[in-house]
Structures are given as structure tokens and as C-alpha cells.
């Protein structure tokens, strides 16, 4: 039994707005000298603390008739950066917007970056939210806005600007810095979610759900009706049906290739109180496929990592109950999936679910399944779908439960994992010195052997690999801790003895890998290093390269690829690397001299703000974006990173929300899926369609003649789809993704028919 999710608090990433046009804001700013026009005797803005953090950053105030007064910060080299700060004293749970106007002038290919951070000290640690300038708007003024709710138990805070954050030379101009209070509606205040600790979260919606439209007679007589959400995704309480045919029985069509799956959400809504609603699922169809049907739980979730808002979303996919009780207006949301067998004969199945109230007559909910005349090809051999598995729960699993989880992940398409190493083996050796180093290395080796026997053996048996990322991020911190040294010494260089110890401990795992015959690992030592001026990253990446190992990092900025392309082999790039077609092409050019380099991406799908409780964001970010970026795969952050009860988003010792792509099964074993996880599964299938179209185009061109002409036409249409994706201003809906997949399937059938 899945525990009922009680009210949950999620502190989520803030709502950030970037707009090219500068617009006035209503309300009076609480900041002193927000226009930065008043300066002190040293030329710094009055009311602000300004300092140079490194290099020769220089600030002057420019008084211009057209642009008005603005601060001009010149960053002459990659070492230069500075800070600008003003304190904030705001009431707990008050709603505000911080904003400023910015213009960057790039000296090279990449504009300098400025980050705006709002932070407050709380008993649970520092609470912070961020917003950044848009590098695609280099040379143009644009407004950066950050909406936030002040955390409870605030002990004061500040708004702080990190000027030159990415280490790129050039100029940053800023003006009209404001913090204004925003109004919450009476409905939001009345529906605030208050925890036992007194923390307050407001609904993201500003008013109640809309009234239900008038219903047809058939629905009233039956006591319930069903509908498909307009966007083809899960329905929130604020979503209502747009249209019902006269008999209140809209049809659902699922198009599916052999060896693939297709899904749809169907909402059953009660007109009156209903007891004993039964859903009957068709029996499997021999050699063709079977249905999988689950019920979506709609619950409160915080709508971002450090947000003061919550939303009500359909998320957790639970087993279909034997019988359901619905109050008048209540809903049962079903995720209906048809899984086609490989080699399934093509054709139409006009079937459906049967809904029956108590002992009444069953009512057909029609579903048409179109099995297409081809088997969907697997992903190309080197495609990587990797996961941050957050394996802490596995320590309490039996071997059978662990294998059940791993096999399910493989069934979903995941083929690579971030490997978490047993760093607690170092704890008994504090202080670590040359005198006990060999003993510590032996203990480390023994811990790795136990880890390998339990986990690496299971990963390989379940079919993961050959790509694995060894998470060595904790090596430097743990070694520095037990050695009693600072990673970066007073002279600004990486501690030499620590670096040598790093090498010794890393070599133990590499020797064990070779002895056990495990696949080659790629080593992840520093996360999101920013750029080449990161001292720790430069030292550790060079160490990995000198040891002859593959090196990996997450590229949170384009400069990470540029600065480390000669020493690292594998880059998992964030969305800032792919802001435009030109940015994407530049990233590939930086790696063009490496015939063995791999470029993956992250953030397109996962547990980031806006990706929870919906299929479309994760589906699009998995399949179409991986293809659009020319990446050979994606890593998903993060599977289950929770604080306290994973079924309560509002508890825990930290002020951040839980991050769950899926939820741990209460009794262990295979996790419970979610709408966002099903989006990733569907996205992998989208990617298989895209890759298959490209393979069929290549095969038709080789055959020549009329078939080559047809291939050229379809390749042009595929390029046109690529143009559509780059031009998107709003993320696509699940219905749009269904339509694009259908077009891809049509192209596959056309090319195969020609062949």
C-alpha cells in the first residue's frame, strides 16, 4: 500500500523571466539607489557594497541621455570578476520580485555572465534563488526578473550580483535594480499550506478551478463521463474538458510500432457520488501486445526547489485499484499504455476499457490501437541513457529487490548509471598520513571489492553498460577531510600531497576494474566546473588524463567544453550550452579534433522546475532534444533524492523539495512510476523513431534512383522539423509530440515500402 501523501512543502527553483524589451514595473522598490546613479567618494554606488573578487574588474557609472545612468563593469581578462550586494530585511512569507536590466558586450565568442542571487539565512541553512542574463541577447538591454517568497524564520538576507561569473572578458552594463512587493490574491491567502513547523506555501494558481461545462444527457444518466485532456497530458484540477460528443464517449487512438509502446491519459469524472467503480482491462492479445493501465494520483507538490508556492499535479502512477469511490466532481485519471510485441502483425484493434458501477452494465471506453507494419529499431549502439540512481535505499534491499529495480530500469530504456563509491571506508583513517596510507588503501580496496560484488555485478547482470560514470566527486573532499588539509592551498594551488593521494586511491579502483573485467569507466571528479579558471578542476582533470583514464564532467557553461576539451573525453552539457543552433554547433566544433569524445546532455528531462507531474517536458527533453542537439545520449538528474518521507514534499530537515522521477516502493523493489518518468520512456521511443528515419534515409540513398529522390525529400522534411524545433518559443504539448511521432512513423513506412 502506497502511503497517502500528506501536505508537502517544496522549495523550488524560482520563477525566472527573461525579456528582450525593458518594461516598467508597478510598485515602489525597497532598494536604496536602485538606479546606481549616486556614488560615493570612491565612485562606488551608494547603499551598495561593491568589491573586486579577482583580477582587475573596473566599475564606473555612465550617465547617458539615451540609456540613462547605468553601471559599466569592464572585465579585461578571464580572471576578473566582482560582486555587488545590498541587504534585505523583508517579512516572512511575503511575495517579492527582484529585477534588473542588463546588457553584455562580449569580447570573444561567449558573452560575460552576471548572476543575481537572493539569499536569506534561516535555521535550516542558507536559502537562495538565482537568475542569470541571457547570453543570446548579447549587445541588447534585457530584463532579468526573479519572483520569490521570503522563507519563514528568515534572519535577514541580501540581493547579490556575481559579475563575470563565467570567466569571460567583456563588459557588463546594469541599471534599474529593483525589489518590489507583489500582491497575493485573497484566494491564495485563504488556501495557504501551513506545515507543523509553521512554514507557509501558497497555491501557484491565483483562483479556484473553473466550473464544469454543461454535460450531455448520457453522462448525467450514467453518473460519470470521460474525456481526454486537450494537451494530451495529465489533468490538473484547473483543466476541464473542452468538448464531448453527444454520447459522451470520445475515442482514443494509439499508434504503435512493433517492439514499442504508446500511451494516453483518460479522465473519468463523476457527475454524482459513485461507489464501486470498476475498470476492466482487456486481456493480452496473443502475438500482438497487451495493455498496461495505472491510476494517477493528483496531489500537492511544491512547484520548484526553493519556491514558496505549491501546485496540484497528477504525478504518482499507482496500480489500478479493484474498485474506486468518487464523490461528485471527483476524477479517476488513467494512464493507458499499449505495449506491442516485436514482430506484431500490423492492423487495427478496436477495443477499449470497460467501466462499470457496482453491478451495473459495463460501459465501453473505446480505444483504437493501430499496430504499424514495422518493428521499431533499437537506439544506435553508442546511445547512452544514464541515470543518477541515488542508491542509498538499495542498502536495505534484498538481492532480489535490487535486481527487480535494475531490470525495470533497463526495461524503461536506461542503460548507464552514475556509480556511487563507498567513501565511508576512509573514515577510520583520520588523520590520514603517510604512516597509515597503505592500510587505508587496503581498506579502500576491500570496500570496493564488496561494493563490486553487490552492485557492479548486479548492474552487469541486469544488462547495463558498457558506459558507466564513476562518481569520484567525493574523493577529493573526503581525502582532504581525513588528511586535515585544504584542497586549495594558501598559494592558490591544488595541494600537492592531496593530488598524489587522489591518484593512489583512484588507481586502486582502476586496478580492480581491470582485474574484474569490468567495462572502461569514465571518471567524474568535479561537477559543473564553470570554466578553466577552476583550480581544482584543472588539477584533477589533468590528473585523470595523465593516468590514461577517461574523464567526464558536467558542462554547466559552454566554456567548460572549450577549456577542457584537450584533457577530458566525455561532456554532459547543460541546456545553457544549447541555447541556439549556433551554440550547439560551436560545442561540437570544440570537440571535433577528438575522434573519441562523447557529448551527452542533462537538464532537458529530470526533476527540475516544470518537469514534475507532466509527460511532455520530459518526453520532449529526452527524445527530440537529444536528437536536435546532436548528442549521443542524456543523463537524468535525479532519480530519488528525498528528505525524510519521500511521500511528503513539505517535510525534511532542509528547505528544498524532494526530487523524484519515480518513488521508492514502500516494501522495496521496483519503484513506482510517475507521469514524468513515463515521459522519459516515451521520449526514448521518440528518439528511436528519429534515428530510424535517418537510417532509412541513408539506406534509400544507397539504393539510388527514385528511392534516393524520395529519401532526399523526406530528409528535407526532417530538416524542416529541425527548424521548427529550434524556433519553438513555448515547449510542445504531449499531443504535439504524438503528432510528430506519427509523422516520423509515416516517413519510416514510406521509405520501407519503397525498399
Amino acid at each position: 500500500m502506497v502511503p497517502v501523501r500528506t501536505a508537502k512543502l517544496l522549495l523550488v527553483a524560482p520563477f525566472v523571466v527573461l525579456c528582450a524589451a525593458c518594461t516598467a514595473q508597478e510598485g515602489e522598490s525597497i532598494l536604496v539607489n536602485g538606479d546606481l546613479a549616486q556614488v560615493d567618494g570612491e565612485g562606488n554606488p551608494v547603499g551598495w557594497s561593491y568589491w573586486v573578487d579577482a583580477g582587475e574588474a573596473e566599475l564606473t557609472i555612465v550617465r547617458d541621455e539615451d540609456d540613462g545612468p547605468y553601471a559599466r563593469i569592464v572585465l579585461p581578462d578571464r580572471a576578473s570578476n566582482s560582486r555587488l550586494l545590498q541587504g534585505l530585511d523583508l517579512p516572512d512569507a511575503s511575495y517579492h520580485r527582484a529585477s534588473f536590466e542588463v546588457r553584455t558586450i562580449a569580447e570573444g565568442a561567449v558573452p560575460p555572465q552576471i548572476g543575481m542571487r537572493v539569499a536569506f539565512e534561516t535555521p535550516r541553512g542558507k536559502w537562495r534563488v538565482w537568475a542569470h542574463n541571457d547570453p543570446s541577447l548579447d549587445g541588447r538591454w534585457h530584463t532579468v526578473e526573479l519572483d520569490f517568497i521570503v522563507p519563514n524564520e528568515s534572519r535577514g538576507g541580501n540581493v547579490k550580483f556575481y559579475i563575470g561569473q563565467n570567466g569571460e572578458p567583456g563588459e557588463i552594463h546594469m541599471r534599474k535594480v529593483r525589489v518590489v512587493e507583489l500582491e497575493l490574491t485573497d484566494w491564495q491567502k485563504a488556501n495557504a499550506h501551513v506545515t507543523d513547523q509553521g512554514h507557509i506555501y501558497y497555491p501557484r494558481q491565483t483562483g479556484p478551478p473553473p466550473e464544469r461545462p454543461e454535460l450531455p444527457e448520457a453522462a448525467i444518466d450514467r453518473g460519470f463521463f470521460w474525456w481526454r485532456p486537450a494537451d494530451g497530458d495529465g489533468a490538473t484540477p484547473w483543466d476541464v474538458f473542452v468538448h464531448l460528443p453527444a454520447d459522451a464517449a470520445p475515442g482514443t487512438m494509439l499508434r504503435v510500432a512493433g517492439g514499442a509502446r504508446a500511451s494516453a491519459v483518460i479522465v473519468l469524472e463523476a457527475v454524482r457520488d459513485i461507489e464501486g467503480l470498476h475498470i476492466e482491462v482487456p486481456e493480452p492479445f496473443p502475438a500482438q501486445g497487451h495493455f498496461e493501465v495505472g491510476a494517477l494520483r493528483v496531489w500537492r507538490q511544491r512547484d520548484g526547489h526553493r519556491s514558496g508556492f505549491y501546485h496540484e499535479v497528477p504525478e504518482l502512477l499507482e496500480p489500478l485499484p479493484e474498485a474506486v469511490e468518487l464523490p461528485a466532481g471527483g476524477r479517476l485519471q488513467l494512464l493507458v499504455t499499449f505495449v506491442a510485441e516485436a514482430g506484431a502483425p500490423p492492423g487495427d484493434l478496436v477495443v477499449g476499457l470497460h467501466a462499470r458501477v457496482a453491478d451495473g452494465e459495463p460501459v465501453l471506453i473505446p480505444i483504437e490501437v493501430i499496430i504499424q507494419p514495422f518493428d521499431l529499431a533499437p537506439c544506435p549502439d553508442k546511445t547512452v541513457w544514464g541515470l543518477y540512481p541515488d542508491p542509498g535505499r538499495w542498502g536495505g534491499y534484498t538481492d532480489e529487490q535490487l535486481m527487480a529495480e535494475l531490470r525495470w530500469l533497463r526495461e524503461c530504456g536506461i542503460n548507464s548509471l552514475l556509480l556511487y563509491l563507498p567513501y565511508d571506508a576512509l573514515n577510520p583513517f583520520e588523520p590520514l598520513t603517510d604512516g597509515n596510507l597503505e592500510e587505508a588503501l587496503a581498506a579502500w580496496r576491500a570496500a570496493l571489492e564488496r561494493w563490486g560484488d553487490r552492485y557492479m555485478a548486479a548492474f552487469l547482470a541486469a544488462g547495463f553498460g558498457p558506459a558507466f560514470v564513476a562518481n569520484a566527486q567525493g574523493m577529493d573532499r573526503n581525502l582532504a577531510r581525513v588528511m586535515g588539509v585544504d584542497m586549495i592551498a594558501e598559494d592558490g594551488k591544488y595541494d600537492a600531497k592531496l593530488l598524489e593521494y587522489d591518484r593512489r586511491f583512484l588507481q586502486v579502483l582502476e586496478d580492480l576494474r581491470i582485474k574484474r573485467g569490468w567495462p572502461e569507466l569514465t571518471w567524474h571528479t568535479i561537477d559543473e566546473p564553470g570554466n578553466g579558471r577552476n583550480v581544482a578542476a584543472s588539477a584533477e582533470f589533468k590528473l585523470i588524463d595523465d593516468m590514461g583514464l577517461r574523464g567526464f564532467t558536467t558542462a554547466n557553461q559552454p566554456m567548460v567544453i572549450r577549456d577542457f576539451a584537450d584533457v577530458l573525453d566525455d561532456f554532459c552539457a547543460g541546456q545553457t550550452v544549447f541555447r541556439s543552433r549556433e551554440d550547439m554547433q560551436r560545442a561540437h566544433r570544440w570537440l571535433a579534433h577528438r575522434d573519441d569524445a562523447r557529448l551527452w546532455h542533462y537538464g532537458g528531462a529530470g526533476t527540475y522546475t516544470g518537469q514534475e507531474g507532466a509527460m511532455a517536458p520530459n518526453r520532449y527533453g529526452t527524445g527530440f532534444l537529444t536528437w536536435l542537439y546532436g548528442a549521443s545520449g542524456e543523463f537524468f538528474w535525479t532519480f530519488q533524492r528525498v528528505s525524510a518521507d519521500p511521500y511528503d514534499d513539505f517535510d525534511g530537515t532542509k528547505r528544498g523539495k524532494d526530487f523524484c522521477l519515480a518513488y521508492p516502493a514502500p516494501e522495496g523493489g521496483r519503484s513506482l512510476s510517475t507521469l514524468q518518468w513515463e515521459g522519459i520512456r516515451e521520449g526514448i521511443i521518440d528518439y528511436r523513431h528519429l534515428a530510424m528515419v535517418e537510417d532509412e534515409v541513408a539506406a534509400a540513398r544507397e539504393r539510388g534512383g527514385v528511392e534516393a529522390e524520395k529519401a532526399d525529400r523526406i530528409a528535407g522534411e526532417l530538416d524542416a522539423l529541425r527548424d521548427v524545433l529550434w524556433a519553438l518559443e513555448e515547449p510542445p504539448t504531449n499531443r504535439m509530440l504524438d503528432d510528430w511521432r506519427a509523422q516520423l512513423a509515416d516517413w519510416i513506412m514510406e521509405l520501407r515500402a519503397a525498399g
Side-chain angles (χ1 to χ4, degrees):
M1 174 84 180
V2 178
V4 174
R5 188 160 215 176
T6 56
K8 274 187 155 185
L9 296 167
L10 300 180
L11 284 171
V12 208
F15 179 64
V16 178
V17 176
L18 293 168
C19 50
C22 300
T23 57
Q25 295 177 334
E26 296 181 1
E28 183 177 349
S29 175
I30 65 171
L31 294 178
V32 175
N33 190 27
D35 61 6
L36 307 175
Q38 303 172 45
V39 296
D40 59 21
E42 297 181 355
N44 295 328
V46 172
W48 295 85
S49 296
Y50 176 79
W51 68 97
V52 175
D53 193 59
E56 302 294 333
E58 181 180 349
L59 179 146
T60 57
I61 303 301
V62 178
R63 305 181 188 280
D64 185 276
E65 291 185 2
D66 295 327
D67 292 334
Y70 64 88
R72 173 177 179 256
I73 303 96
V74 177
L75 306 168
D77 52 43
R78 295 178 60 193
S80 296
N81 63 95
S82 59
R83 305 288 186 265
L84 183 68
L85 177 145
Q86 186 170 142
L88 296 175
D89 185 10
L90 303 175
D92 288 359
S94 57
Y95 184 25
H96 290 79
R97 171 176 296 156
S99 66
F100 72 107
E101 295 181 8
V102 61
R103 177 175 63 190
T104 58
I105 307 294
E107 182 176 300
V110 180
Q113 182 184 69
I114 180 170
M116 175 174 64
R117 190 203 72 181
V118 174
F120 292 90
E121 295 293 341
T122 76
R124 297 189 180 189
K126 181 169 288 188
W127 179 98
R128 59 178 72 87
V129 291
W130 288 86
H132 297 85
N133 64 295
D134 186 343
S136 69
L137 299 176
D138 183 53
R140 289 179 283 169
W141 286 106
H142 59 281
T143 300
V144 179
E145 295 180 347
L146 176 62
D147 291 0
F148 63 95
I149 290 180
V150 179
N152 298 95
E153 303 174 292
S154 167
R155 297 173 176 174
N158 58 67
V159 56
K160 185 176 182 180
F161 293 91
Y162 290 73
I163 304 167
Q165 193 176 23
N166 62 348
E168 292 301 306
E171 295 185 12
I172 292 177
H173 305 164
M174 55 185 301
R175 66 185 184 188
K176 299 180 181 178
V177 186
R178 299 168 62 92
V179 173
V180 298
E181 185 169 9
L182 303 177
E183 286 293 324
L184 294 162
T185 67
D186 291 341
W187 186 87
Q188 287 175 301
K189 295 174 183 177
N191 287 273
H193 178 94
V194 183
T195 70
D196 293 341
Q197 298 80 21
H199 302 300
I200 301 174
Y201 299 85
Y202 296 104
R204 174 62 71 182
Q205 292 82 6
T206 58
E211 293 185 4
R212 186 168 60 200
E214 184 177 350
L215 296 173
E217 287 296 327
I220 297 174
D221 294 341
R222 187 182 295 129
F224 66 92
F225 63 100
W226 58 93
W227 51 282
R228 293 284 315 281
D231 61 2
D233 220 318
T236 74
W238 280 259
D239 295 318
V240 297
F241 67 86
V242 177
H243 171 71
L244 292 176
D247 62 354
T252 297
M253 179 184 293
L254 297 175
R255 297 179 52 165
V256 59
R261 55 196 285 127
S263 302
V265 174
I266 298 175
V267 182
L268 278 73
E269 188 164 339
V271 177
R272 57 176 180 269
D273 292 350
I274 292 179
E275 294 184 4
L277 176 63
H278 300 265
I279 305 297
E280 299 173 2
V281 180
E283 294 293 325
F285 300 87
Q288 291 179 299
H290 65 277
F291 280 99
E292 296 176 356
V293 181
L296 289 168
R297 187 193 296 185
V298 180
W299 55 11
R300 284 185 180 181
Q301 293 279 50
R302 291 164 58 188
D303 73 348
H305 179 47
R306 297 196 179 275
S307 171
F309 290 100
Y310 70 83
H311 56 179
E312 296 185 29
V313 292
E315 186 190 12
L316 182 64
L317 186 61
E318 300 178 283
L320 187 64
E322 183 176 339
V324 179
E325 294 184 5
L326 291 178
R331 293 172 175 177
L332 172 64
Q333 292 197 49
L334 303 176
L335 181 66
V336 180
T337 302
F338 188 83
V339 182
E341 300 284 350
D348 291 7
L349 297 174
V350 181
V351 291
L353 309 178
H354 283 91
R356 176 173 51 84
V357 177
D359 297 328
E361 290 295 320
V363 177
L364 179 68
I365 302 175
I367 300 173
E368 180 181 6
V369 177
I370 301 176
I371 301 177
Q372 296 163 326
F374 65 91
D375 275 6
L376 188 63
C379 289
D381 288 342
K382 295 185 178 180
T383 308
V384 168
W385 304 112
L387 182 67
Y388 287 67
D390 303 311
R393 66 194 178 282
W394 290 344
Y397 281 17
T398 65
D399 291 344
E400 292 76 15
Q401 289 174 327
L402 174 61
M403 286 304 298
E405 173 107 306
L406 295 175
R407 290 192 179 108
W408 177 65
L409 292 175
R410 285 294 296 119
E411 177 188 322
C412 295
I414 303 300
N415 60 9
S416 181
L417 297 170
L418 187 75
L419 306 179
Y420 294 74
L421 305 178
Y423 294 114
D424 55 354
L426 303 177
N427 293 339
F429 299 95
E430 186 173 359
L432 180 63
T433 66
D434 289 346
N436 62 357
L437 176 60
E438 293 302 325
E439 183 183 0
L441 288 168
W444 171 242
R445 184 179 299 107
L448 289 173
E449 288 173 344
R450 292 190 298 271
W451 170 86
D453 291 340
R454 174 89 204 279
Y455 294 109
M456 197 65 187
F459 301 155
L460 295 172
F464 287 89
F468 288 98
V469 179
N471 183 15
Q473 295 177 76
M475 179 67 74
D476 50 14
R477 295 190 301 273
N478 280 280
L479 284 176
R481 173 178 54 81
V482 296
M483 292 171 65
V485 301
D486 293 326
M487 189 184 308
I488 308 302
E490 292 184 0
D491 60 2
K493 296 180 180 180
Y494 196 98
D495 185 272
K497 183 175 266 314
L498 173 60
L499 193 64
E500 174 57 20
Y501 279 25
D502 283 338
R503 185 189 67 78
R504 295 288 302 275
F505 280 85
L506 293 173
Q507 189 64 52
V508 169
L509 177 54
E510 175 62 6
D511 291 344
L512 180 62
R513 180 196 71 80
I514 295 171
K515 179 181 178 181
R516 295 285 182 92
W518 297 338
E520 182 182 28
L521 305 177
T522 183
W523 298 76
H524 185 19
T525 58
I526 298 287
D527 188 52
E528 297 185 339
N531 54 64
R533 72 183 184 192
N534 186 315
V535 175
S538 297
E540 294 186 20
F541 293 167
K542 184 178 185 302
L543 172 65
I544 294 294
D545 189 49
D546 290 345
M547 292 176 66
L549 306 176
R550 288 192 74 89
F552 166 102
T553 195
T554 45
N556 58 323
Q557 296 288 346
M559 298 69 62
V560 174
I561 300 176
R562 180 197 64 191
D563 295 350
F564 297 114
D566 291 334
V567 293
L568 292 180
D569 307 276
D570 303 317
F571 293 89
C572 196
Q575 302 306 291
T576 55
V577 176
F578 304 106
R579 287 182 181 269
S580 68
R581 191 195 306 255
E582 293 72 24
D583 289 346
M584 178 272 294
Q585 292 169 341
R586 180 181 62 196
H588 283 280
R589 285 197 303 271
W590 282 333
L591 295 174
H593 67 292
R594 299 286 304 275
D595 58 6
D596 62 341
R598 295 181 293 196
L599 180 60
W600 305 324
H601 76 110
Y602 72 101
T607 55
Y608 300 92
T609 300
Q611 295 174 334
E612 179 181 65
M615 293 180 70
N618 288 283
R619 178 178 173 183
Y620 177 62
T622 298
F624 283 92
L625 282 189
T626 299
W627 173 74
L628 186 67
Y629 295 161
S632 58
E634 181 173 9
F635 257 78
F636 304 109
W637 186 92
T638 186
F639 194 54
Q640 292 170 16
R641 193 162 302 183
V642 302
S643 180
D645 180 4
Y647 290 88
D648 184 351
D649 223 17
F650 300 91
D651 67 353
T653 58
K654 295 184 178 180
R655 294 301 302 272
K657 78 183 272 13
D658 295 333
F659 296 106
C660 288
L661 275 170
Y663 285 82
E667 305 303 323
R670 165 181 165 167
S671 290
L672 298 178
S673 189
T674 62
L675 210 53
Q676 56 264 28
W677 181 255
E678 293 300 314
I680 287 175
R681 298 182 72 175
E682 293 289 339
I684 292 174
I685 293 173
D686 290 337
Y687 185 83
R688 291 168 62 187
H689 279 80
L690 288 157
M692 191 170 179
V693 171
E694 293 183 326
D695 288 345
E696 293 291 344
V697 164
R701 282 172 168 167
E702 288 185 3
R703 293 193 293 268
V706 176
E707 295 183 30
E709 293 177 2
K710 182 174 292 185
D712 289 342
R713 173 181 58 79
I714 291 176
E717 293 172 349
L718 194 61
D719 286 340
L721 174 61
R722 187 179 280 109
D723 293 339
V724 168
L725 300 184
W726 279 119
L728 283 176
E729 295 183 359
E730 297 291 336
T733 65
N734 206 48
R735 192 173 297 276
M736 293 169 64
L737 295 167
D738 284 340
D739 291 342
W740 289 338
R741 184 193 288 182
Q743 179 62 76
L744 294 170
D746 288 344
W747 287 334
I748 291 170
M749 289 186 287
E750 185 177 357
L751 289 164
R752 290 174 68 86

